[in-house]
Amino acid sequence: MKIRRNHGRFETRAIHAGQESDPQNGAVMTPVYLTSTFEQDAPAKPRDGYEYSRTKNPTRLSLEENIASLEGGNWGLCFASGLSATNALLDRLVPGDSVVCGNDLYGGTYRIFKKVFERYGIEFRMVDATDPTKVAAAMDGTTKYVYLETPTNPLLRLNDISHIAKIAHSGGALLIVDNTFATPYLQQPLELGADVVLHSMTKYLGGHSDVVAGALVGKDEKLFDDFAFFQNSCGGGLDPMSSFLVMRGIKTLAVRLDRHCANALKVAQYLESHDLVDRVIYPGLSSHPQHELAKRQMKGFGGMVSVELKGGVAAGEAAACATKVFTLAESLGGVESLIETPPSMTHASIPPAERHAAGLADGLVRLSVGIEHEDDLIADLAQALEAARKAVTAKV
Ligand SMILES: *Cc1c(COP(=O)(O)O)cnc(C)c1O
C-alpha cells in the first residue's frame, strides 16, 4: 500500500498521512465518497482499482493509509467495528489451529474467541501473559497467533511486547497486539516486534464516542493480501461516513492524549491519597507493579484509571451513581469522562469466584478520564466518594 503524504513526525502525519486535497476542486478535507459503485473506462477497466465500495472506497482508503502511517506499518485495513477486525484476523485460521492469548481480554474478544471461533475447531489458550514463560509453555506446532492486550482491561496489567514477540516468533507464530488502550501515540507494537496491530477505533482514535470502527495494521504484504481477501469476501469494511469521522478524530489524537494522560495521573494521585480507596491501578504510578515496563514500552500512561474502593460492590455502585461530570456508561476513550463498575457492568458475565481469582475486586471502579478541567474531575470524584461512604455506612 502506498501511503500518500507520509512525511514528518507523528503529530504531522496524524493530520496529513493518506489525505490529499481533492484533485477535482481542491477540497482540503477528504470527501465522504458515498457511492457503492464506480464508473469504468472500459469493461473490467476500473480507474485506480475502484470498482465497488466493499472492496475499496476512497474515503476508507485515506483512513487506512493514515492508521498504517501512525502505527509504522506498510498497510492498514478498516472495519465496521473492532470485533469485525478481530473476525477478519480469525478468518485466516483453519480447524486445528490454536491461539495463545492473555487471560484478561476485552469481553467481546473473549466471546468471539470462545463462543464463535471455537465452534470451528480453533483452540484458544488463555494464559497470564504478564509472565512470558507461560506464553511459551502454552505454544505448540498448532499455534498460529499469540494475541495480547496491553494495558489490559480493567486491571491495566502490562504485557512485555518485545519479549513476547521473540517467544511467538521462535515458535513460528505471529504476535497480534490490541493497541486500543494505548493508541499508536503512546505505544508502537510493530516497532517492538509485533506482526499485526488491532484497534477498536471506537475508543481513542475516534475520540468523541460518535462512531464504531476497527482496524488491522501490519508490515508484511502477504498478510495484507490475506486480510484484504477476507475483508472483500466476508464484508465488514468500514463505511465512508464513519471513515471520515475517525479521520477527523485522529487529527487531534496527540493533543487529546496529552490531556488524557495528564488528567488521569492527577486523578490517580488524588485517589491514591483517599481513605476510602484500597488500591489505585494506573501504569503511571510508581505503585503499579509494572511501572518500569510501562516507562520502557509506553510514551505516556493513558487515560484509564481503575480503583478498588473499600465497601465492595455497594461502594462502587454508589460512587458511580453519584458522579455528575463523569457519566455512568461503558466504553472509553472519548473526550468526556466515563465511570463504570466492572463487577456489575462490563465484567458481570464472569462468575464471582472466577472474577476474584482473576484479581477483580468487588469494589472495582473503572474510569475513562476525559479532557475536562482536572479540578472539576477531582471535585466530582470527591463528592461521589462521600456519597459512597454514606451508602456503605448506612448499610453497616
Ligand atoms: C472496545 C474494544 C474492542 C472491540 O471493539 P468494538 O469497536 O467495540 O467492536 C476490542 N478491544 C478492546 C481493548 C476494546 O476496548
Side-chain angles (χ1 to χ4, degrees):
M1 176 179 271
K2 183 184 171 300
I3 303 175
R4 290 162 286 177
R5 298 182 78 189
N6 191 20
H7 314 296
R9 294 172 178 78
F10 185 94
E11 293 81 349
T12 307
R13 287 180 288 118
I15 293 165
H16 297 295
Q19 299 163 67
E20 280 172 330
S21 53
D22 189 80
Q24 278 194 22
N25 52 36
V28 170
M29 286 303 119
T30 305
V32 181
Y33 284 97
L34 288 173
T35 184
S36 59
T37 191
F38 298 84
E39 183 182 14
Q40 305 199 8
D41 292 328
K45 288 274 177 293
R47 285 178 214 163
D48 286 343
Y50 291 112
E51 283 172 82
Y52 187 62
S53 277
R54 170 163 31 75
T55 321
K56 191 174 161 190
N57 173 281
T59 316
R60 189 173 80 216
L61 183 66
S62 281
L63 173 62
E64 290 175 332
E65 292 177 23
N66 184 263
I67 186 65
S69 169
L70 298 187
E71 285 287 1
N74 294 325
W75 55 264
L77 288 164
C78 292
F79 294 87
S81 67
L83 283 174
S84 180
T86 314
N87 192 92
L89 182 80
L90 298 175
D91 281 340
R92 208 177 142 267
L93 303 182
V94 296
D97 286 347
S98 70
V99 176
V100 172
C101 51
N103 64 357
D104 53 346
L105 296 172
Y106 173 73
T109 303
Y110 179 87
R111 184 174 55 209
I112 194 174
F113 282 6
K114 300 294 278 189
K115 302 249 166 90
V116 181
F117 277 86
E118 209 156 78
R119 297 181 306 141
Y120 303 144
I122 294 158
E123 198 192 329
F124 295 88
R125 301 178 188 152
M126 319 254 164
V127 299
D128 176 3
T130 59
D131 177 357
T133 63
K134 294 198 172 138
V135 173
M139 289 179 67
D140 62 23
T142 68
T143 307
K144 295 299 187 307
Y145 296 153
V146 173
Y147 185 99
L148 298 179
E149 286 175 21
T150 181
T152 66
N153 171 29
L155 294 174
L156 305 173
R157 291 183 176 131
L158 267 63
N159 292 309
D160 187 334
I161 297 172
S162 57
H163 189 166
I164 297 174
K166 289 193 190 95
I167 291 171
H169 295 157
S170 70
L174 301 176
L175 176 62
I176 320 296
V177 174
D178 179 337
N179 205 25
T180 299
F181 269 40
T183 83
Y185 182 58
L186 302 180
Q187 177 170 276
Q188 299 258 301
L190 297 179
E191 196 179 301
L192 295 167
D195 301 282
V196 177
V197 166
L198 182 141
H199 273 288
S200 171
M201 301 196 291
T202 312
K203 316 296 165 54
Y204 287 103
L205 295 176
H208 297 75
S209 305
D210 55 7
V211 64
V212 173
L216 296 176
V217 184
K219 288 186 170 173
D220 182 345
E221 297 290 342
K222 173 70 180 64
L223 283 178
F224 171 78
D225 292 343
D226 286 4
F227 294 131
F229 171 80
F230 289 112
Q231 189 190 53
N232 185 40
S233 302
C234 306
L238 189 63
D239 70 278
M241 189 66 219
S242 301
S243 299
F244 175 85
L245 285 172
V246 176
M247 259 189 293
R248 183 164 72 167
I250 287 177
K251 287 178 197 294
T252 56
L253 180 67
V255 287
R256 280 189 286 112
L257 256 291
D258 284 342
R259 178 67 79 89
H260 280 294
C261 291
N263 279 359
L265 181 63
K266 284 271 162 53
V267 162
Q269 285 167 339
Y270 164 73
L271 290 171
E272 211 168 37
S273 72
H274 199 285
D275 69 310
L276 209 67
V277 168
D278 262 338
R279 185 162 77 113
V280 181
I281 311 169
Y282 183 64
L285 293 176
S286 55
S287 59
H288 190 283
Q290 295 160 301
H291 182 56
E292 290 308 312
L293 174 59
K295 283 199 283 191
R296 202 161 70 236
Q297 183 165 278
M298 303 175 77
K299 186 184 153 217
F301 307 111
M304 300 301 294
V305 177
S306 287
V307 53
E308 287 172 13
L309 298 186
K310 298 190 171 106
V313 176
E317 292 191 347
C321 291
T323 52
K324 298 189 174 79
V325 181
F326 282 82
T327 302
L328 176 60
E330 295 184 4
S331 199
L332 59 118
V335 290
E336 72 291 337
S337 292
L338 302 178
I339 185 166
E340 68 114 358
T341 54
S344 43
M345 292 174 68
T346 45
H347 295 67
S349 60
I350 311 173
E354 258 184 70
R355 231 172 33 226
H356 297 149
L360 269 96
D362 285 337
L364 193 69
V365 173
R366 190 187 78 178
L367 305 174
S368 174
V369 180
I371 65 170
E372 300 95 338
H373 197 286
E374 64 192 52
D375 293 347
D376 294 328
L377 297 179
I378 288 170
D380 191 37
L381 291 171
Q383 64 82 22
L385 286 169
E386 288 320 307
R389 190 195 307 281
K390 276 199 201 101
V392 177
T393 324
K395 217 178 130 210
V396 175

